[in-house]
């Protein structure tokens, strides 16, 4: 989209002298993520196919009793490929081809876990509140075309793939869910995690399609570590992040679809704060571009009827439990962010800051139990 800023990083690099830039980046990002070398063929392939690749490393201190637990994470952000009024199968096939090629490149770079953006197989049409034709993008989480497609890539590269889709639950009345499918390194579906919190904000009236998920705060034990998925709007709820930590997650992915006019000031804060508060790594993924729809729709914030609802600003990044984070991907371009992390850092920060030790779950459990009672009275003390 013309007029959109490429990234905060590109502006800083353009105008700040290198010596000062190093100091500014440390203030902005904490301990600097180290540059990670990746094969030249990966960069060449990305350049030929017109998407960005950035690669970093977030190490931990060496330990005498544990080996490093190195995991290479890949985040993919992308625009839709075809216009929203193209035939549905053509749209799906085009996205499969685009994302499949990027995953292949991630495999060449040795990535262990890949996460795609929210509802990656389709335009983010939930703003329209129209059921037809958009519900036709829904598919089975277990044997849908996207799961079968990604399973082959997962097996080929011994890669765990997180695939957020619009799920059609054929077992329970054909209802829809916003779901992340976790495919393990053998190509088998390890399980699903459904979106816990559904927005009703402006254009984001998603409850026309699906309601709050029923899978709770699942954590998936993979060969690369314990992972969880906090889909999109759930990042605004600190308790949601907290419960994945309570259940033992070491990396929590936040596949999203959010526009600049609504949420960009929050984007750099929420996943990073969750990493600090819960002593785990977080991975924030947002789609890119502006999606135009055939018919006008109205929103809940008084805007005139419109056919698009703003620019998806990308800016995907990874944050660490020590408060550091990688630079983000572009605001305007497809991209692959590769980050090698040492999961030993989770325990090291847990020991250093003691946030798990001091979090007082017993206190909050009692308070929450009381607060949901109809006769609850907040303990407000006055004269």
């Amino acid at each position: 989209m013309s007029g959109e800023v490429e990234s905060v990083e590109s502006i800083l690099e353009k105008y700040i002298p290198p010596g000062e830039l190093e100091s500014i980046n440390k203030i902005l990002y904490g301990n600097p993520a180290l540059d990670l070398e990746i094969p030249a063929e990966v960069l060449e392939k990305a350049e030929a196919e017109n998407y960005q690749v950035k690669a970093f490393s977030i190490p931990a201190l060496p330990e005498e009793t544990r080996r490093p637990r190195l995991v290479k994470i890949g985040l993919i952000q992308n625009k839709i490929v075809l216009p929203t009024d193209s035939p549905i199968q053509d749209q799906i096939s085009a996205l499969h081809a685009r994302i499949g090629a990027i995953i292949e490149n991630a495999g060449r770079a040795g990535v262990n876990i890949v996460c795609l953006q929210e509802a990656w197989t389709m335009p983010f049409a939930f703003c329209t509140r129209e059921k037809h034709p958009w519900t036709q993008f829904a598919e089975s989480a277990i044997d849908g075309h996207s799961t079968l497609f990604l399973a082959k890539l997962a097996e080929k590269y011994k890669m765990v793939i997180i695939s957020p889709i619009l799920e059609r639950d054929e077992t329970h009345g054909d209802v829809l869910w916003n779901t992340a499918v976790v495919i393990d390194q053998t190509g088998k579906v390890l399980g699903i995690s459904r979106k816990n919190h559904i927005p009703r904000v402006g254009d984001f009236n998603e409850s026309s399609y699906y309601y709050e998920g029923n899978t709770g705060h699942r954590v998936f034990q993979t060969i690369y570590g314990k992972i969880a998925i906090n889909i999109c709007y759930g990042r605004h709820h600190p308790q949601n992040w907290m419960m994945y930590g309570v259940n033992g997650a070491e990396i929590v992915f936040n596949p999203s679809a959010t526009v600049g006019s609504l949420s960009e000031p929050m984007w750099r804060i929420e996943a990073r704060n969750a990493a600090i508060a819960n002593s785990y790594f977080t991975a924030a993924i947002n789609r890119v571009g502006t999606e135009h729809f055939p018919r006008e729709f109205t929103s809940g914030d008084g805007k005139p009827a419109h056919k698009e609802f703003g620019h998806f600003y990308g800016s995907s990044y990874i944050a660490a439990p020590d408060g550091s984070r990688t630079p983000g991907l572009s605001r305007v371009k497809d991209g692959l962010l590769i980050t090698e992390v040492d999961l030993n850092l989770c325990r090291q920060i847990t020991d250093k800051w003691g946030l798990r030790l001091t979090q007082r779950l017993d206190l909050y459990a009692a308070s929450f139990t009381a607060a949901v009672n109809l006769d609850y009275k907040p303990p407000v003390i006055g004269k």
Side-chain angles (χ1 to χ4, degrees):
M1 181 178 179
S2 61
E4 290 289 343
V5 172
E6 165 69 26
S7 67
V8 171
E9 291 82 7
S10 65
I11 295 173
L12 292 176
E13 290 171 2
K14 183 176 180 179
Y15 293 106
I16 305 298
E20 295 180 19
L21 181 60
E22 184 178 349
S23 298
I24 289 173
N25 281 338
K26 189 164 186 178
I27 294 169
L28 289 176
Y29 299 139
N31 293 328
L34 307 177
D35 289 331
L36 180 67
E37 185 176 353
I38 55 175
E41 65 172 324
V42 171
L43 296 173
E44 292 167 2
K45 191 75 172 175
E47 184 175 1
E49 296 176 356
N50 192 31
Y51 62 88
Q52 179 186 46
V53 174
K54 288 188 175 182
F56 301 98
S57 172
I58 301 178
L61 294 173
E63 299 186 16
E64 294 184 38
T65 57
R66 292 193 301 173
R67 295 179 179 177
R69 299 179 61 213
L70 300 179
V71 179
K72 199 172 285 187
I73 302 167
L75 310 183
I76 297 175
Q77 64 177 45
N78 62 280
K79 304 173 186 177
I80 57 173
V81 179
L82 297 180
T84 60
D85 58 358
S86 301
I88 288 173
Q89 288 298 339
D90 291 352
Q91 292 188 59
I92 293 171
S93 296
L95 281 164
H96 279 201
R98 176 62 165 170
I99 300 309
I102 299 177
I103 292 175
E104 293 267 9
N105 216 16
R108 295 184 192 99
V111 167
N112 304 125
I113 306 174
V114 161
C115 187
L116 308 180
Q117 65 197 23
E118 183 184 20
W120 73 272
T121 62
M122 62 182 293
F124 206 76
F126 312 124
C127 57
T128 69
R129 301 188 297 284
E130 297 175 326
K131 301 302 178 67
H132 184 80
W134 313 118
T135 57
Q136 295 178 60
F137 283 92
E139 59 183 290
S140 166
I142 304 304
D143 56 9
H145 42 267
S146 296
T147 298
L148 298 178
F149 169 70
L150 294 176
K152 295 177 182 177
L153 292 169
E155 183 179 15
K156 178 178 180 179
Y157 291 105
K158 301 295 182 285
M159 180 190 292
V160 173
I161 299 178
I162 301 166
S163 172
I165 61 169
L166 180 61
E167 179 196 0
R168 173 76 69 185
D169 187 357
E170 297 170 346
T171 305
H172 299 94
D174 269 350
V175 299
L176 302 177
W177 302 97
N178 188 319
T179 299
V181 184
V182 181
I183 304 168
D184 73 13
Q185 80 287 349
T186 70
K188 305 297 184 182
V189 173
L190 187 58
I192 63 171
S193 185
R194 291 171 174 154
K195 189 171 182 175
N196 281 333
H197 297 275
I198 307 301
R200 297 158 178 87
V201 182
D203 286 320
F204 290 85
N205 295 292
E206 297 172 30
S207 58
S208 298
Y209 299 86
Y210 40 76
Y211 259 35
E212 284 74 12
N214 58 2
T215 55
H217 297 90
R218 291 178 173 175
V219 173
F220 299 90
Q221 177 69 73
T222 75
I223 63 170
Y224 303 117
K226 295 178 182 177
I227 66 173
I229 306 97
N230 179 6
I231 301 175
C232 198
Y233 189 71
R235 72 181 181 278
H236 303 310
H237 294 268
Q239 297 87 355
N240 204 43
W241 289 108
M242 180 185 74
M243 284 308 304
Y244 293 115
V246 168
N247 291 341
E250 296 171 302
I251 310 169
V252 180
F253 294 87
N254 178 228
S256 298
T258 184
V259 294
S261 58
L262 178 67
S263 65
E264 196 160 12
M266 307 174 187
W267 181 253
R268 293 174 170 269
I269 301 169
E270 288 171 314
R272 189 178 184 186
N273 184 66
I276 297 167
N278 298 287
S279 302
Y280 53 44
F281 288 91
T282 58
I285 311 101
N286 186 28
R287 67 170 59 201
V288 186
T290 302
E291 300 174 2
H292 302 272
F293 294 93
R295 288 170 293 279
E296 290 183 336
F297 52 89
T298 57
S299 53
D301 52 11
K303 292 180 181 178
H306 45 286
K307 292 187 176 182
E308 51 88 8
F309 65 138
H311 175 69
F312 295 105
Y313 52 83
S315 306
S316 303
Y317 69 94
I318 287 178
D322 64 355
S324 64
R325 54 153 288 185
T326 69
L329 288 176
S330 170
R331 294 181 71 260
V332 296
K333 192 172 183 179
D334 290 8
L336 168 64
L337 176 65
I338 300 172
T339 308
E340 184 178 74
V341 305
D342 187 344
L343 295 182
N344 283 351
L345 187 61
C346 297
R347 184 189 289 178
Q348 291 176 10
I349 297 302
T350 297
D351 290 346
K352 178 178 180 178
W353 282 96
L355 297 180
R356 296 284 183 92
L357 177 70
T358 59
Q359 66 183 341
R360 295 302 307 276
L361 292 179
D362 55 339
L363 173 64
Y364 295 112
S367 298
F368 290 149
T369 300
V372 298
N373 290 328
L374 292 177
D375 59 353
Y376 177 68
K377 294 181 179 180
V380 177
I381 310 302
K383 291 184 179 179

